[in-house]
Amino acid sequence: GKAAKETEPYSVEQMRYLVAHIPDVRNETDRVYLALATLHPLRPEEVFGLQFGDIDKVENKIHIQRAVTYPDRNQPLVKGTKTESSVRTIDLAIQIAQYIPNGAPDAFIFGGNKPLSYQQIRRMRMRIKKDTGFEDDIVPRRFRTTVLTDIYDVTKDIKQAQEAAGHTNASTTLRHYVKGRKQSFNTATPVANRYGLSAE
């Protein structure tokens, strides 16, 4: 078959727009989704597999322990994470904790007793786009690629990005997720400064 098309990250401006418009999302569940997806490097199936007990608002942590997939694009299938490395704990952005309600520890954040169906998620994405006035489509897999790109862009630490992604090795993170922002920086001046040469 054809080679899989690379996932294009959203721009920083697009992400800033979406994050700024989280409060404009009218449905509470939709709002929680946008807050979690835009600020954390989660696979879509990991987001929909989250239960209230996985969110620690005291320590500001998210525990990823399961996944929800849609093999027939309809009813959800609850299963283990993609790999052993995918079972992990990541930091919860404290700025969005306010959007996450409390619930029974074993209830799914997105669905309750059982996860949302594929069609329910599709409708949720359309509502978010409408409520925020976002001009592009809301594509779950693009959020993960974008957040990992920016984790690396900010930290320049591939090991941190790898651990946040839940990858077994860093090469996977670099090859598939860290896209780079294609900014042009002068690489000679910082080295010259470090070695004792000033620009004056």
Side-chain angles (χ1 to χ4, degrees):
K2 295 180 180 178
K5 186 178 178 181
E6 284 197 358
T7 302
E8 186 70 21
Y10 289 114
S11 69
V12 172
E13 291 72 23
Q14 286 177 307
M15 293 298 282
R16 285 177 177 164
Y17 180 93
L18 284 171
V19 169
H21 285 80
I22 291 172
D24 297 335
V25 178
R26 291 178 287 181
N27 179 285
E28 181 181 57
T29 301
D30 297 356
R31 197 162 52 243
V32 175
Y33 171 75
L34 188 61
L36 285 169
T38 54
L39 289 158
H40 306 93
L42 298 165
R43 295 179 177 92
E45 60 267 30
E46 293 172 347
V47 177
F48 299 119
L50 287 173
Q51 296 178 344
F52 287 103
D54 300 324
I55 306 295
D56 184 344
K57 287 195 260 185
V58 175
E59 298 295 328
N60 295 311
K61 300 291 182 183
I62 301 174
H63 304 289
I64 297 103
Q65 305 180 77
R66 73 195 66 75
V68 170
T69 60
Y70 300 87
D72 59 0
R73 290 202 168 190
N74 186 19
Q75 292 307 309
L77 174 65
V78 181
K79 55 191 287 188
T81 56
K82 188 173 183 180
T83 66
E84 285 185 21
S85 299
S86 301
V87 177
R88 64 200 187 282
T89 297
I90 63 172
D91 294 318
L92 169 68
I94 59 174
Q95 297 91 336
I96 62 95
Q98 61 181 308
Y99 298 117
I100 305 174
N102 296 318
D106 60 351
F108 288 94
I109 295 174
F110 304 100
N113 292 330
K114 74 171 191 175
L116 296 176
S117 71
Y118 184 88
Q119 289 304 318
Q120 286 175 313
I121 290 171
R122 185 170 177 271
R123 288 194 292 270
M124 178 179 72
R125 290 163 48 197
M126 294 172 68
R127 287 193 302 267
I128 291 172
K129 178 174 179 173
K130 181 179 178 181
D131 288 349
T132 59
F134 192 53
E135 293 185 355
D136 207 338
D137 290 330
I138 300 294
V139 183
R141 69 177 182 275
R142 290 185 70 183
F143 289 126
R144 174 170 162 86
T145 298
T146 304
V147 174
L148 286 172
T149 292
D150 287 320
I151 286 174
Y152 181 72
D153 203 48
V154 170
T155 66
K156 297 297 186 284
D157 187 335
I158 191 58
K159 293 301 289 183
Q160 267 192 277
Q162 175 197 340
E163 289 174 11
H167 289 148
T168 304
N169 55 67
S171 63
T172 301
T173 313
L174 279 171
R175 186 167 65 251
H176 296 295
Y177 292 95
V178 176
K179 304 297 183 181
R181 287 299 182 185
K182 298 181 181 176
Q183 294 171 304
S184 180
F185 295 101
N186 184 314
T187 57
T189 299
V191 173
N193 290 342
R194 174 163 286 190
Y195 296 163
L197 296 175
S198 68
E200 298 175 357

